Amino acid sequence: MGKVGFGLALSCAVASCTIAAILVSRRVKSRRKWSRVVGVLKELEEGCSTSIGRLKQVVDAMAVEMHAGLASEGGSKLKMLLTFVDNLPDGNEKGTYYALHLGGTNFRVLRVQLGGENSLILGHEVDRQPIPQHLMTSTSEGLFDFIVSKLEQFVEREGNGSMSMLDKRRELGFTFSFPVKQTSVSSGILIKWTKGFSIEDMIGKDVSECLQQAIRKRGLDMRVAALVNDTVGTLALGHYHDADTVAAVIIGTGTNACYVERTDSIIKCQGLLTKSGGMVVNMEWGNFWSTHLPRTSYDIDLDSDSPNPNDQGFEKMISGMYLGDIVRRVMLRMSKESDIFGDATSRLSVPFILKTPLMAAMHEDDSPDLKDVSRILKETLEISDVPLKVRKLIVRICDVVTRRAARLAAAGIVGILKKIGRDGSGGIMSGRTKSGETSSRKRRTVVAIEGGLYTSYSLFREYLNEAVAEILGEEMAPYVVLKVSEDGSGIGAALLAASHSYPSIGPVNVAIK
């Protein structure tokens, strides 16, 4: 081989070695980047851990906070609000009742026909109406005059508008989904507006009376028999169909819970008497907090960036408003650790761009190539050509965040059962039996659940149900039933109007059997 040939061969060898070195270096860097990404996932998994031991600590903390909230105003982050609902519908209600649900830019009017025996709802009709934008910031008179004008039109369609039908008195259940301090079963003072409403002259006023004045002005013979929130309506509907229903939980965009408490356990209202001996308590459990909750850096950042920092801590870990954004924050952290999403990561910095329904769709994508994950990344986050292994990683993130949320919600539910002595542990009881002895005997117990996160997100529902059974144990779990309830804010409100109408149907002992 000549000198020229030898030099050429040597140059080729050096070039090959250089290329090989570059490729090896890139592989090493790629592996290091991937290792950092996997490290973020492992850190998330550890931070979101919900072992059975930790869940039982959350159960205990929930029961203790409930007790503290009943003992004194401000004694707990749980407000434990009195609803003054002591008669729950039992299936014997008969007649036609109305409901009005005002909770956003639309309102609904319902007419429910009850058949009496065997919890029979003969039928119900619904009319949904948008609220003109200007009325959301005008006056209380303007808002309720508009609502009642539509209510009157709806009532006129009953019985084809015959005069005999129009002359009779009607009872109305009013679901008002804004912060209210309840003063009786049918009245409450508006604390503040949310959801784009800003009608200053109504702050501090009785919302039922504002509606009642508009009803009188139109000459409509209708009485607001019950003022309720969504959770209480869900409990009413659940109890109507199944008398063993003692609690209700809403897990949707937001979350809340209510349950039946013995009046002698509501210490902050000593001397409170009801014919039934029980009262529904609105927990406002979204504000629950405990050091036992598995909080991560993503939760801390989400909270500090929110309009209400240090508030609604439980809700921010379990409700549909926030789960998608927790996943987005984890993905953003991964993008900063490596280039797994390429250069197209700017939209990952946009708060709440990844809605929980989209997160759920990625989580439940069972296609071999995870095509839904790919589509959502491209359409929502403008991230294309994501490798399959990265798509699988994203599904895993969704799973960790969802599983934690569902299991914490389950612990909250069992916490309620523990407080009223329905978890089989003989824990913090709601009161004493007639003999004066506490009782923890096994009784069938039903919890009504409403909200899209539970009803529409099958993996969330599966994780929650499994966790409730796991916490309760094999002996007690068969006695606790979780039942889906639909439209407590509508039908449930009408049922409460029926159970609190005149003449009284008669009290139902909603506390103890």
Side-chain angles (χ1 to χ4, degrees):
M1 180 183 294
K3 290 183 178 180
V4 174
F6 179 77
L8 184 61
L10 182 62
S11 297
C12 289
V14 170
S16 297
C17 289
T18 301
I19 292 171
I22 291 172
L23 291 174
V24 169
S25 175
R26 286 179 178 174
R27 285 173 185 168
V28 169
K29 287 181 180 178
S30 176
R31 286 172 182 170
R32 285 176 180 170
K33 288 179 180 179
W34 182 251
S35 179
R36 287 198 296 270
V37 168
V38 172
V40 171
L41 176 61
K42 288 182 178 178
E43 180 185 299
L44 177 70
E45 289 174 331
E46 291 172 3
C48 291
S49 173
T50 50
S51 65
I52 187 63
R54 169 167 272 180
L55 291 180
K56 287 183 176 180
Q57 289 175 321
V58 174
V59 168
D60 292 342
M62 179 67 79
V64 168
E65 287 297 308
M66 290 171 69
H67 183 79
L70 292 172
S72 64
E73 292 292 348
S76 165
K77 276 192 170 281
L78 296 177
K79 291 184 172 63
M80 305 301 285
L81 303 174
L82 274 63
T83 65
F84 299 92
V85 172
D86 64 337
N87 292 346
L88 284 174
D90 63 354
N92 292 314
E93 292 79 10
K94 190 173 183 179
T96 300
Y97 296 88
Y98 284 79
L100 169 65
H101 180 204
L102 177 61
T105 55
N106 295 284
F107 70 93
R108 294 185 305 146
V109 182
L110 295 89
R111 177 169 42 242
V112 180
Q113 294 175 284
L114 307 176
E117 297 179 3
N118 301 318
S119 304
L120 186 61
I121 296 178
L122 298 177
H124 74 281
E125 302 168 67
V126 184
D127 185 24
R128 185 186 298 271
Q129 293 283 344
I131 297 175
Q133 189 73 30
H134 72 278
L135 290 180
M136 296 171 64
T137 56
S138 61
T139 64
S140 57
E141 183 178 10
L143 174 65
F144 283 107
D145 280 353
F146 173 78
I147 289 174
V148 172
S149 69
K150 301 299 181 182
L151 174 61
E152 183 180 35
Q153 293 173 13
F154 186 74
V155 170
E156 286 174 349
R157 295 200 291 272
E158 180 186 343
N160 297 320
S162 66
M163 289 304 298
S164 61
M165 296 296 290
L166 292 175
D167 286 342
K168 70 175 184 178
R169 174 78 166 267
R170 291 168 179 79
E171 304 291 333
L172 174 76
F174 184 18
T175 303
F176 187 75
S177 300
F178 300 92
V180 165
K181 181 181 180 181
Q182 201 97 11
T183 53
S184 76
V185 70
S186 60
S187 60
I189 305 300
L190 176 63
I191 299 172
K192 64 178 180 180
W193 286 106
T194 58
K195 308 173 188 177
F197 283 77
S198 180
I199 303 174
E200 293 300 322
D201 76 310
M202 197 170 157
I203 303 294
K205 286 186 178 179
D206 182 342
V207 295
S208 292
E209 182 55 29
C210 291
L211 175 60
Q212 198 71 64
Q213 287 177 2
I215 289 173
R216 286 194 291 266
K217 188 189 298 185
R218 303 287 300 196
L220 189 59
D221 193 4
M222 179 175 281
R223 183 183 74 98
V224 179
L227 175 68
V228 301
N229 71 15
D230 296 6
T231 316
V232 178
T234 299
L235 176 58
L237 183 56
H239 194 273
Y240 179 79
H241 288 302
D242 192 326
D244 288 332
T245 306
V246 298
V249 178
I250 290 181
I251 313 176
T253 303
T255 185
N256 192 16
C258 70
Y259 74 106
V260 178
E261 181 61 274
R262 292 182 62 112
T263 51
D264 59 9
S265 291
I266 307 175
I267 303 170
K268 63 184 177 182
C269 295
Q270 289 186 343
L272 179 68
L273 297 175
T274 62
K275 292 179 180 179
S276 66
M279 180 177 289
V280 178
V281 173
N282 170 17
M283 294 173 61
E284 292 294 334
W285 86 347
N287 204 40
F288 168 69
W289 186 251
S290 166
T291 55
H292 298 301
L293 293 173
R295 200 182 197 201
T296 68
S297 60
Y298 308 104
D299 301 302
I300 294 171
D301 291 342
L302 184 150
D303 181 55
S304 63
D305 293 343
S306 71
N308 57 339
N310 300 314
D311 197 20
Q312 298 297 103
F314 196 49
E315 181 170 82
K316 288 171 182 173
M317 296 179 79
I318 72 172
S319 78
M321 177 72 185
Y322 302 100
L323 299 189
D325 202 59
I326 295 173
V327 170
R328 176 195 68 82
R329 289 171 183 271
V330 178
M331 292 174 61
L332 180 62
R333 164 83 183 280
M334 287 181 170
S335 73
K336 291 177 179 178
E337 294 289 337
S338 73
D339 57 356
I340 61 169
F341 299 121
D343 297 326
T345 59
S346 61
R347 288 179 70 81
L348 268 177
S349 300
V350 180
F352 295 99
I353 192 171
L354 182 62
K355 305 298 184 184
T356 297
L358 293 176
M359 182 209 79
M362 291 196 295
H363 187 196
E364 297 186 325
D365 185 357
D366 58 1
S367 62
D369 58 350
L370 299 177
K371 61 181 180 181
D372 285 339
V373 176
S374 181
R375 175 183 56 80
I376 291 168
L377 290 175
K378 183 176 181 179
E379 294 178 357
T380 304
L381 299 175
E382 297 180 355
I383 301 175
S384 303
D385 304 320
V386 178
L388 181 59
K389 72 173 185 177
V390 176
R391 279 175 265 160
K392 289 180 177 179
L393 188 75
I394 292 170
V395 172
R396 182 61 188 158
I397 297 168
C398 296
D399 186 73
V400 172
V401 171
T402 298
R403 190 170 188 271
R404 180 189 67 164
R407 288 172 69 82
L408 290 179
I413 291 171
V414 180
I416 297 174
L417 302 183
K418 183 181 182 70
K419 171 64 181 69
I420 60 176
R422 294 292 190 106
D423 70 329
S425 70
I428 300 177
M429 300 293 292
S430 64
R432 294 184 176 273
T433 60
K434 291 180 180 179
S435 63
E437 298 296 327
T438 58
S439 171
S440 59
R441 63 186 175 87
K442 295 170 184 174
R443 289 172 288 176
R444 182 174 179 273
T445 298
V446 178
V447 178
I449 305 182
E450 188 172 346
L453 199 61
Y454 185 82
T455 60
S456 302
Y457 193 171
S458 60
L459 283 174
F460 181 97
R461 183 170 63 252
E462 179 182 320
Y463 287 150
L464 188 151
N465 293 350
E466 285 178 352
V468 167
E470 187 180 353
I471 298 168
L472 289 171
E474 291 182 2
E475 289 190 12
M476 193 63 203
Y479 293 89
V480 175
V481 181
L482 306 180
K483 275 192 176 182
V484 171
S485 180
E486 295 184 7
D487 200 12
S489 60
I491 298 174
L495 292 171
L496 284 167
S499 61
H500 288 82
S501 63
Y502 297 128
S504 175
I505 293 169
V508 177
N509 190 330
V510 296
I512 293 178
K513 295 183 180 178

